[in-house]
Amino acid sequence: MSDSAQPFALTRPAHVRGAHLVVGDLGLVSDFYRKIIGLKVLEKNASGEVLGVEGQPLLTLTTGNNVARAPRNAAGLFHTAFLVPDRRELARWLAHAAENDVRLDGASDHLVSEALYLSDPEGNGIEIYRDRKPEEWTYHPDGTVAMATERLNLQALYDSAPKESWNGMADGTAIGHIHLQVGDVPQADAFYRDVLGLKVMARYPGASFFATGGYHHHIAANIWNSRGAGTREENMTGLSDYTLRFNDKAALDKALAALEAQEIATTKTAEGFSLKDPWDIGLTLAA
């Protein structure tokens, strides 16, 4: 896909490229992401699968013999957010969900976007959303963006869905952002803003929203369920790690220099630079 066809979120200096969940029941969770969310299996082995859209990997699922269900108040994933190309595709997914009696956890108009919320069979949060055009967003003088949580008219969205069969997520679907549960918001600010170089684009009580290049958020961090949470245990279900891809090498170099200055360990891998955030959530910085 050419840059001109990519969503605004993915053309910024950095964006989220993929997420990796550890699950207890691989077959059950994989079925859900395929049949309900609409991803396709791209790779498969005994311990895991890579799922995506249009050949683009978005979500890795792995399991193991000693996997233990993470408590709801553990640091980790609040939701993985799948960005669909437009409102028509959001409506198509909603009609598919209704036909399959999928229970939604919520539906909101955030001014910058329209979003549907649900959970997978192991309680991992999911957002499916479409962005309004950036020229429709309201930016404040300090560069932050106006966001809110208003009621989304589900009936009107459902009624706008095209009357056609649904065969999975549309080409161009991506992970637009990832929303984390953390133990402390100022500590998240110190890491994601001050070390990695993301800008705080909005704040809610108990949450910060971080992005690059004027997007509303590529990463969010909240304490709504997880105030005071410590580091994740090795065998916990939920978010193992995710990838932040840098389109701007200078931004990546600056982040790596800041990590070195803070003496935060990074490991060079085939994918990029691997590290842990303050709650031991894995993160790969890739170019």
Side-chain angles (χ1 to χ4, degrees):
M1 185 183 295
S2 67
D3 280 354
S4 62
Q6 282 190 321
F8 181 72
L10 271 58
T11 64
R12 305 298 85 206
H15 65 89
V16 175
R17 185 168 65 184
H20 170 199
L21 304 182
V22 174
V23 300
D25 188 329
L26 179 61
L28 178 69
V29 178
S30 174
D31 278 354
F32 181 86
Y33 281 99
R34 288 187 297 107
K35 295 174 182 175
I36 301 303
I37 303 304
L39 306 183
K40 292 180 170 60
V41 176
L42 306 181
E43 299 175 27
K44 188 170 186 174
N45 59 46
S47 62
E49 297 180 1
V50 177
L51 300 100
V53 174
E54 197 188 8
Q56 296 296 316
L58 300 179
L59 184 69
T60 300
L61 303 175
T62 60
T63 191
N65 294 326
N66 63 343
V67 170
R69 181 68 69 92
R72 188 167 182 266
N73 61 353
L77 185 70
F78 189 67
H79 60 238
T80 308
F82 296 95
L83 174 61
V84 298
D86 51 37
R87 196 172 200 267
R88 179 180 184 273
E89 291 302 329
L90 188 66
R92 280 183 74 239
W93 185 86
L94 177 61
H96 157 72
E99 289 165 11
N100 286 274
D101 296 320
V102 175
R103 186 178 72 85
L104 296 183
D105 296 334
S108 298
D109 184 330
H110 292 303
L111 306 183
V112 293
S113 63
E114 293 179 309
L116 306 171
Y117 297 95
L118 67 158
S119 300
D120 75 15
E122 295 193 357
N124 296 298
I126 298 166
E127 175 180 343
I128 297 175
Y129 76 112
R130 72 98 182 181
D131 275 334
R132 290 190 171 91
K133 294 178 181 178
E135 49 267 32
E136 298 177 74
W137 304 353
T138 299
Y139 287 96
H140 300 302
D142 63 357
T144 60
V145 67
M147 292 175 62
T149 300
E150 299 180 350
R151 190 180 76 85
L152 178 63
N153 187 332
L154 280 177
Q155 188 63 53
L157 182 62
Y158 175 84
D159 290 344
S160 73
K163 304 300 184 275
E164 61 190 35
S165 61
W166 188 85
N167 57 358
M169 282 290 193
D171 290 355
T173 298
I175 293 183
H177 66 268
I178 199 157
H179 195 143
L180 307 174
Q181 294 194 159
V182 300
D184 181 72
V185 172
Q187 194 175 5
D189 290 349
F191 181 77
Y192 286 100
R193 178 192 62 197
D194 301 339
V195 177
L196 294 189
L198 281 68
K199 177 179 172 60
V200 176
M201 292 301 294
R203 293 192 189 276
Y204 281 16
S208 288
F209 296 78
F210 308 97
T212 66
Y215 191 54
H216 52 75
H217 65 296
H218 290 108
I219 297 171
N222 78 60
I223 56 167
W224 299 330
N225 300 318
S226 55
R227 182 188 298 270
T231 56
R232 288 179 58 78
E233 296 174 13
E234 283 291 322
N235 64 338
M236 272 186 179
T237 59
L239 183 66
S240 169
D241 56 89
Y242 64 100
T243 298
L244 191 63
R245 183 182 186 278
F246 284 78
N247 296 321
D248 179 358
K249 186 177 183 300
L252 173 58
D253 291 344
K254 187 175 180 181
L256 291 172
L259 287 163
E260 185 176 5
Q262 293 290 323
E263 298 183 345
I264 297 170
T266 63
T267 303
K268 183 76 171 74
T269 70
E271 289 76 35
F273 298 86
S274 175
L275 63 140
K276 301 274 192 178
D277 82 357
W279 297 275
D280 272 0
I281 301 167
L283 175 60
T284 295
L285 308 183

